[in-house]
Structure formats: structure tokens, C-alpha cells
Amino acid sequence: ALSKDGQSLYFYSRRPGPDFDIWVSQRIGEEEWGVPVNLGPVVNSTSFELAPSLSRDGHWLFFTSVSRPGGHGGRDIWISYRQDVHDDLAWQTPINAGPGVNSIRDESDASFFENDDAGAPELFFSRSGDIYVSRLLPDGTFGTALPVSEINSTDVDSEISLRFDGVEAFFSSSRSVGFDLWTVTRQMVFDPWSAATNLGPLVNSAATDQEPEIASDRETLY
């Protein structure tokens, strides 16, 4: 997950092991990154923490945790807040995204769409091989998630990343031979998504290609 200003890169790693934790590296040059720092015990636990993503305004961190106390079972999505968007180690105690998002099944890979101009913010995420979306309610909780039927197929579709304006998204799918990255678009945020398009051999390879992240500049895909 890349911050809006492009200066902080969040990722998960099991260095030095055995559990997966979330780490952050800060840019120290145009093409160089600093030594990664563990986010520490406020965010990371004795469980596995995976798949970090940021709200575009930089105040919210979404991530996946496996069997973390206070969850709903399996993989859940958790949320942490920070007041200072320039302090990568100022994250507060995470809260569970709640029963509108999490279930006894596996939820992961959240992508928060702030939807500034067209309604309530939405949280897109993966649940057991399909992509779902939940709308943020006026009381600050997330409503009951619904599958995004235009995107989902009979294969595994997951790990969606929405462009900040909500009209383009990237995700991984096994609908080809192995996992590739795919994209969908829509004219406006109220419109249905287009048919999925494979990103092709410049991006995808004979190996497994997963977990896309579209940067805020709309021009860089990790």
C-alpha cells in the first residue's frame, strides 16, 4: 500500500518470523527506499497481519488479521486510525470492521473508496473467493456487504484495488490459467462495472500475479 504522497510503502512480511507483520518503508530518494520498520504491537499481534491498505486521506489503515482476539473467526478486516498522516508509527489500537464486513468466513484485502462526490464511502474486499462491497452507514459502522456480481466469476476473484475516483479497479483472478491481474471500469460510480479485461503479457506472466495496488497518481500500478 502506497501513501498518497508516494513517500511511505506499507507491506506485510514474516521477517524475522515466524508470524506475518505489517511493515513500512519510507522513500529516501527518487528510486530508493529506507530500511523497513515494524509497525509494532499496537497494530501487529501474535496472529498474522496481512494485506495493508490506506484511505486516500492517510488517516485510516485497513488490514487483514488471522484469528485475532475480538474477531468473527478466520481472517477478518481490521481498521486503525492516526491523527498525524505524516507519522507512520502513530496508528491507534485497531478495531474490527464489524459484522457487516466480517463473518465466520475469510475476509481480506480491503480497498476503501471515499466516494467524496457521490454518496457514502464504500469498503471493497475479498470474501472466500469473491469480491464484496459494504457501505459506511451514518452511525460510522459498515452495512451488510453484498457481492459485486458484475466482477465475480465462477473462479477465484480477489484482492481488488480501486482508483481513488472509483471508476477503475484492478483485481486478481484465476479465471485464466493461474492467477492474473484484471481490470474493470465504469463511467460513473453509480454505473455497473464493465466486463473484466486481462492486463495482458506486459503485466501478467506465466507465474502467479496477484495483489495489485493502483497509486494515487493513477499512472502507477504495483
Side-chain angles (χ1 to χ4, degrees), residues 9-222:
L9 182 68
Y10 289 76
F11 62 95
Y12 65 97
S13 174
R14 64 191 321 160
R15 66 182 79 181
D19 298 333
F20 282 103
D21 279 351
I22 297 174
W23 296 69
V24 63
S25 175
Q26 295 174 337
R27 195 186 295 272
I28 57 176
E30 187 174 337
E31 297 182 358
E32 187 175 358
W33 293 91
V35 175
V37 177
N38 189 295
L39 290 195
V42 173
V43 171
N44 294 311
S45 70
T46 56
S47 303
F48 285 2
E49 275 70 47
L50 312 163
S53 68
L54 296 165
S55 61
R56 189 166 185 259
D57 65 11
H59 286 293
W60 298 95
L61 173 70
F62 300 83
F63 64 93
T64 302
S65 190
V66 182
S67 300
R68 188 179 183 123
H72 295 259
R75 298 185 177 207
D76 274 4
I77 293 169
W78 291 74
I79 310 169
S80 179
Y81 178 81
R82 64 176 175 183
Q83 184 66 40
D84 183 356
V85 299
H86 301 295
D87 188 343
D88 286 323
L89 300 178
W91 296 105
Q92 299 176 14
T93 301
I95 61 171
N96 190 277
V101 171
N102 294 313
S103 69
I104 59 173
R105 299 164 69 186
D106 286 334
E107 287 78 27
S108 63
D109 304 295
S111 181
F112 187 62
F113 171 42
E114 297 188 25
N115 204 9
D116 293 329
D117 300 323
E122 294 176 323
L123 188 68
F124 288 76
F125 62 95
S126 306
R127 175 185 287 167
S128 298
D130 281 328
I131 294 169
Y132 279 71
V133 61
S134 172
R135 179 165 292 188
L136 187 64
L137 301 177
D139 65 0
T141 63
F142 284 99
T144 301
L146 299 173
V148 186
S149 58
E150 313 99 87
I151 300 179
N152 294 323
S153 69
T154 56
D155 294 285
V156 175
D157 303 295
S158 62
E159 301 164 345
I160 192 167
S161 175
L162 253 70
R163 204 170 78 187
F164 73 84
D165 58 7
V167 297
E168 184 178 33
F170 299 85
F171 65 100
S172 65
S173 177
S174 64
R175 66 186 72 187
S176 54
V177 179
F179 279 93
D180 275 355
L181 301 185
W182 295 69
T183 185
V184 289
T185 59
R186 55 187 178 183
Q187 290 295 316
M188 300 177 65
V189 298
F190 300 111
D191 295 333
W193 293 99
S194 68
T197 301
N198 189 291
L199 290 190
L202 288 180
V203 173
N204 292 312
S205 68
T208 295
D209 302 289
Q210 289 184 278
E211 299 196 53
E213 169 80 9
I214 182 66
S216 288
D217 63 10
R218 302 182 292 179
E219 298 177 347
T220 310
L221 181 70
Y222 290 79

